Amino acid sequence: MSFSPPVAYVYRPLDYAWAPHRLYLERYGSSRPQVLLVGMNPGPFGMAQTGVPFGDVAMVRDWLGIEAEVGKPAREHPKRPVEGFSCRRREVSGQRLWGWARDRFNGPEAFFERFFVANYCPLVFVEESGRNRTPDKLARVQREPLFAACDRALRDTVALLEPSFVIGVGRFAAERAAAALSGKGLVLGRIPHPSPASPVANRGWAGQTEQALHNLGIALA
Protein backbone atom coordinates (compact mmCIF):
# COMPACT_ATOMS: atom_id res chain seq x y z
CA MET A 1 0.00 0.00 0.00
CA SER A 2 1.06 3.60 -0.52
CA PHE A 3 -0.21 6.75 1.11
CA SER A 4 -0.13 10.15 -0.53
CA PRO A 5 0.00 13.65 1.01
CA PRO A 6 -0.81 14.88 3.54
CA VAL A 7 0.64 11.58 4.82
CA ALA A 8 4.41 11.89 4.59
CA TYR A 9 5.62 9.11 6.93
CA VAL A 10 4.19 5.72 7.87
CA TYR A 11 5.44 3.94 11.00
CA ARG A 12 5.01 0.19 11.44
CA PRO A 13 5.44 -0.62 15.16
CA LEU A 14 4.83 -4.32 14.55
CA ASP A 15 8.16 -4.30 12.70
CA TYR A 16 10.50 -2.03 14.64
CA ALA A 17 8.82 -2.61 18.05
CA TRP A 18 8.14 -6.31 17.54
CA ALA A 19 10.14 -7.37 20.62
CA PRO A 20 7.83 -5.74 23.21
CA HIS A 21 4.73 -6.54 21.14
CA ARG A 22 5.71 -10.20 21.11
CA LEU A 23 6.10 -10.11 24.90
CA TYR A 24 2.62 -8.59 25.15
CA LEU A 25 1.13 -11.37 23.03
CA GLU A 26 3.01 -14.18 24.75
CA ARG A 27 2.30 -12.96 28.26
CA TYR A 28 -1.30 -11.82 27.90
CA GLY A 29 -2.71 -13.18 24.65
CA SER A 30 -2.97 -16.89 25.40
CA SER A 31 -6.28 -16.88 27.30
CA ARG A 32 -9.84 -16.84 25.94
CA PRO A 33 -11.03 -13.39 27.05
CA GLN A 34 -14.71 -12.60 27.35
CA VAL A 35 -14.17 -9.09 25.99
CA LEU A 36 -11.98 -7.80 23.16
CA LEU A 37 -11.38 -4.03 23.36
CA VAL A 38 -10.46 -2.59 19.95
CA GLY A 39 -8.63 0.72 19.58
CA MET A 40 -8.15 2.76 16.41
CA ASN A 41 -4.39 2.73 15.67
CA PRO A 42 -1.11 3.38 17.51
CA GLY A 43 -0.67 6.75 19.16
CA PRO A 44 2.61 8.63 18.56
CA PHE A 45 3.57 8.45 22.26
CA GLY A 46 1.98 5.08 22.95
CA MET A 47 2.22 2.01 20.76
CA ALA A 48 4.49 3.89 18.35
CA GLN A 49 7.05 3.90 21.18
CA THR A 50 6.35 0.64 23.03
CA GLY A 51 4.67 -1.74 20.56
CA VAL A 52 1.72 -2.21 22.95
CA PRO A 53 -1.79 -0.86 22.27
CA PHE A 54 -2.45 2.34 24.25
CA GLY A 55 1.15 1.81 25.28
CA ASP A 56 2.04 4.69 27.58
CA VAL A 57 5.65 3.97 28.53
CA ALA A 58 5.24 4.02 32.30
CA MET A 59 2.09 1.89 32.28
CA VAL A 60 3.60 -0.71 29.94
CA ARG A 61 6.84 -0.92 31.89
CA ASP A 62 5.58 -0.59 35.45
CA TRP A 63 2.14 -2.25 35.36
CA LEU A 64 2.26 -4.65 32.43
CA GLY A 65 5.88 -5.48 33.22
CA ILE A 66 7.01 -5.23 29.60
CA GLU A 67 10.21 -3.60 28.40
CA ALA A 68 12.32 -4.58 25.40
CA GLU A 69 14.48 -3.11 22.69
CA VAL A 70 12.70 -0.89 20.16
CA GLY A 71 14.23 -0.05 16.80
CA LYS A 72 13.44 2.72 14.35
CA PRO A 73 10.94 3.11 11.52
CA ALA A 74 12.33 3.01 7.99
CA ARG A 75 11.72 6.77 7.66
CA GLU A 76 11.39 8.88 10.78
CA HIS A 77 9.95 12.37 11.04
CA PRO A 78 12.42 14.58 12.95
CA LYS A 79 9.56 15.96 15.06
CA ARG A 80 8.21 12.49 15.88
CA PRO A 81 11.24 10.40 16.86
CA VAL A 82 10.80 6.88 18.14
CA GLU A 83 12.68 6.69 21.43
CA GLY A 84 11.19 3.46 22.71
CA PHE A 85 11.09 3.08 26.46
CA SER A 86 13.28 6.18 26.80
CA CYS A 87 10.40 8.35 25.58
CA ARG A 88 9.47 10.88 28.27
CA ARG A 89 6.18 11.97 26.73
CA ARG A 90 3.14 10.39 28.34
CA GLU A 91 0.16 9.11 26.35
CA VAL A 92 -2.95 10.22 28.20
CA SER A 93 -5.17 7.64 26.46
CA GLY A 94 -2.88 4.88 27.68
CA GLN A 95 -2.65 6.34 31.17
CA ARG A 96 -6.43 6.33 31.39
CA LEU A 97 -7.12 2.90 29.92
CA TRP A 98 -4.38 0.97 31.67
CA GLY A 99 -4.78 3.10 34.80
CA TRP A 100 -8.43 2.05 34.96
CA ALA A 101 -7.45 -1.61 34.52
CA ARG A 102 -4.82 -1.27 37.25
CA ASP A 103 -7.25 0.36 39.69
CA ARG A 104 -10.14 -2.02 38.95
CA PHE A 105 -8.40 -5.40 38.78
CA ASN A 106 -6.01 -7.19 41.08
CA GLY A 107 -3.04 -7.18 38.74
CA PRO A 108 -2.73 -7.46 34.94
CA GLU A 109 -3.29 -11.21 34.95
CA ALA A 110 -6.76 -10.71 36.45
CA PHE A 111 -7.59 -8.10 33.80
CA PHE A 112 -6.40 -10.27 30.91
CA GLU A 113 -8.36 -13.28 32.12
CA ARG A 114 -11.44 -11.40 30.92
CA PHE A 115 -10.16 -8.69 28.56
CA PHE A 116 -7.71 -8.26 25.73
CA VAL A 117 -6.74 -5.01 24.01
CA ALA A 118 -5.84 -4.77 20.31
CA ASN A 119 -5.79 -2.08 17.65
CA TYR A 120 -7.85 -2.15 14.46
CA CYS A 121 -5.06 -0.61 12.34
CA PRO A 122 -1.37 -1.26 13.12
CA LEU A 123 0.05 1.80 11.34
CA VAL A 124 0.96 5.35 12.40
CA PHE A 125 0.43 8.11 9.82
CA VAL A 126 2.45 11.32 10.18
CA GLU A 127 1.95 14.46 8.11
CA GLU A 128 4.84 16.62 6.85
CA SER A 129 4.18 19.03 9.71
CA GLY A 130 4.59 16.21 12.23
CA ARG A 131 0.88 16.08 12.97
CA ASN A 132 -0.64 12.66 13.60
CA ARG A 133 -3.26 11.68 10.99
CA THR A 134 -5.80 9.07 12.00
CA PRO A 135 -7.01 6.36 9.57
CA ASP A 136 -10.51 7.81 9.31
CA LYS A 137 -9.01 10.98 7.82
CA LEU A 138 -7.28 9.19 4.94
CA ALA A 139 -8.56 9.66 1.40
CA ARG A 140 -11.10 7.04 0.34
CA VAL A 141 -8.77 5.51 -2.27
CA GLN A 142 -6.29 4.85 0.55
CA ARG A 143 -8.84 3.91 3.20
CA GLU A 144 -10.61 1.16 1.29
CA PRO A 145 -7.70 -1.30 0.79
CA LEU A 146 -6.36 -0.50 4.26
CA PHE A 147 -9.71 -1.13 5.92
CA ALA A 148 -10.18 -4.36 3.95
CA ALA A 149 -6.86 -5.67 5.32
CA CYS A 150 -7.65 -4.48 8.85
CA ASP A 151 -11.10 -6.09 8.70
CA ARG A 152 -9.49 -9.43 7.82
CA ALA A 153 -6.99 -9.06 10.65
CA LEU A 154 -9.74 -8.27 13.15
CA ARG A 155 -11.73 -11.32 12.05
CA ASP A 156 -8.59 -13.45 12.46
CA THR A 157 -8.02 -12.03 15.95
CA VAL A 158 -11.60 -12.81 16.94
CA ALA A 159 -11.28 -16.33 15.55
CA LEU A 160 -8.17 -16.92 17.69
CA LEU A 161 -9.39 -15.34 20.93
CA GLU A 162 -13.06 -16.34 20.68
CA PRO A 163 -14.48 -13.44 22.73
CA SER A 164 -18.19 -13.00 23.36
CA PHE A 165 -18.02 -9.20 23.23
CA VAL A 166 -16.10 -6.95 20.84
CA ILE A 167 -16.08 -3.37 22.10
CA GLY A 168 -14.78 -0.45 20.12
CA VAL A 169 -12.80 2.13 22.07
CA GLY A 170 -14.38 5.16 20.47
CA ARG A 171 -16.80 5.60 17.59
CA PHE A 172 -14.44 4.76 14.72
CA ALA A 173 -13.30 1.42 16.16
CA ALA A 174 -16.87 0.48 17.05
CA GLU A 175 -18.06 1.21 13.51
CA ARG A 176 -15.21 -0.76 11.93
CA ALA A 177 -15.83 -3.72 14.26
CA ALA A 178 -19.51 -3.68 13.31
CA ALA A 179 -18.63 -3.65 9.61
CA ALA A 180 -16.04 -6.43 9.91
CA LEU A 181 -17.94 -8.72 12.29
CA SER A 182 -21.55 -8.43 11.24
CA GLY A 183 -23.35 -11.76 11.45
CA LYS A 184 -20.69 -13.41 13.63
CA GLY A 185 -22.98 -13.81 16.64
CA LEU A 186 -20.97 -11.45 18.82
CA VAL A 187 -22.19 -8.71 21.11
CA LEU A 188 -20.78 -5.48 19.67
CA GLY A 189 -20.58 -2.19 21.51
CA ARG A 190 -18.64 0.93 22.30
CA ILE A 191 -16.94 2.68 25.18
CA PRO A 192 -15.71 6.29 25.09
CA HIS A 193 -12.26 6.92 23.70
CA PRO A 194 -9.93 8.06 26.52
CA SER A 195 -8.21 10.73 24.42
CA PRO A 196 -7.90 14.17 26.06
CA ALA A 197 -9.15 15.57 22.74
CA SER A 198 -12.59 14.20 23.68
CA PRO A 199 -14.58 16.48 26.01
CA VAL A 200 -16.58 13.44 27.12
CA ALA A 201 -13.43 11.57 28.17
CA ASN A 202 -12.32 14.52 30.26
CA ARG A 203 -15.45 14.22 32.43
CA GLY A 204 -14.79 10.95 34.22
CA TRP A 205 -13.74 8.46 31.56
CA ALA A 206 -13.48 5.47 33.90
CA GLY A 207 -16.98 5.91 35.28
CA GLN A 208 -18.50 6.33 31.83
CA THR A 209 -16.65 3.27 30.59
CA GLU A 210 -17.89 1.11 33.44
CA GLN A 211 -21.45 2.28 32.85
CA ALA A 212 -21.18 1.47 29.14
CA LEU A 213 -19.83 -2.01 29.93
CA HIS A 214 -22.62 -2.57 32.46
CA ASN A 215 -25.21 -1.55 29.86
CA LEU A 216 -23.78 -4.17 27.50
CA GLY A 217 -24.10 -6.88 30.15
CA ILE A 218 -20.43 -7.01 31.16
CA ALA A 219 -20.18 -7.32 34.94
CA LEU A 220 -17.02 -6.07 36.63
CA ALA A 221 -17.65 -7.23 40.20
Side-chain angles (χ1 to χ4, degrees):
M1 296 181 191
S2 60
F3 300 91
S4 57
V7 174
Y9 298 78
V10 180
Y11 292 8
R12 299 176 58 171
L14 297 187
D15 287 344
Y16 66 80
W18 172 246
H21 187 76
R22 179 174 178 171
L23 288 175
Y24 175 68
L25 297 178
E26 290 178 342
R27 188 169 299 177
Y28 299 121
S30 60
S31 64
R32 290 290 181 266
Q34 179 191 25
V35 183
L36 174 63
L37 297 177
V38 181
M40 177 186 277
N41 74 312
F45 307 110
M47 187 174 176
Q49 304 292 335
T50 64
V52 175
F54 293 93
D56 172 72
V57 170
M59 296 303 302
V60 171
R61 182 186 59 228
D62 300 336
W63 193 64
L64 296 180
I66 291 173
E67 186 172 8
E69 183 178 355
V70 175
K72 290 282 190 178
R75 293 180 63 248
E76 185 179 57
H77 194 295
K79 293 182 180 179
R80 287 289 178 262
V82 171
E83 301 171 309
F85 286 82
S86 298
C87 179
R88 295 186 178 183
R89 291 283 298 269
R90 301 297 303 272
E91 187 185 67
V92 175
S93 295
Q95 288 180 270
R96 286 176 173 169
L97 188 144
W98 295 119
W100 164 72
R102 177 198 60 200
D103 296 342
R104 198 65 172 78
F105 294 84
N106 184 26
E109 290 78 11
F111 172 78
F112 285 102
E113 282 180 5
R114 298 191 55 205
F115 291 83
F116 190 73
V117 182
N119 271 327
Y120 172 72
C121 173
L123 305 178
V124 184
F125 304 98
V126 184
E127 299 180 7
E128 193 64 57
S129 65
R131 180 181 179 183
N132 183 55
R133 192 167 188 86
T134 53
D136 57 315
K137 299 296 193 300
L138 297 172
R140 175 180 287 186
V141 69
Q142 298 168 9
R143 286 199 313 262
E144 289 182 347
L146 174 67
F147 288 4
C150 293
D151 286 353
R152 290 193 299 271
L154 179 57
R155 287 192 289 268
D156 288 346
T157 299
V158 167
L160 286 169
L161 296 178
E162 300 180 341
S164 300
F165 299 81
V166 177
I167 309 301
V169 183
R171 179 180 58 82
F172 170 83
E175 290 178 350
R176 291 314 313 163
L181 301 170
S182 176
K184 298 293 184 181
L186 299 159
V187 178
L188 305 176
R190 169 184 168 188
I191 61 173
H193 197 286
S195 168
S198 168
V200 173
N202 294 328
R203 297 193 297 267
W205 179 83
Q208 294 180 64
T209 291
E210 294 202 355
Q211 184 61 55
L213 295 174
H214 173 78
N215 293 344
L216 288 163
I218 301 170
L220 296 175

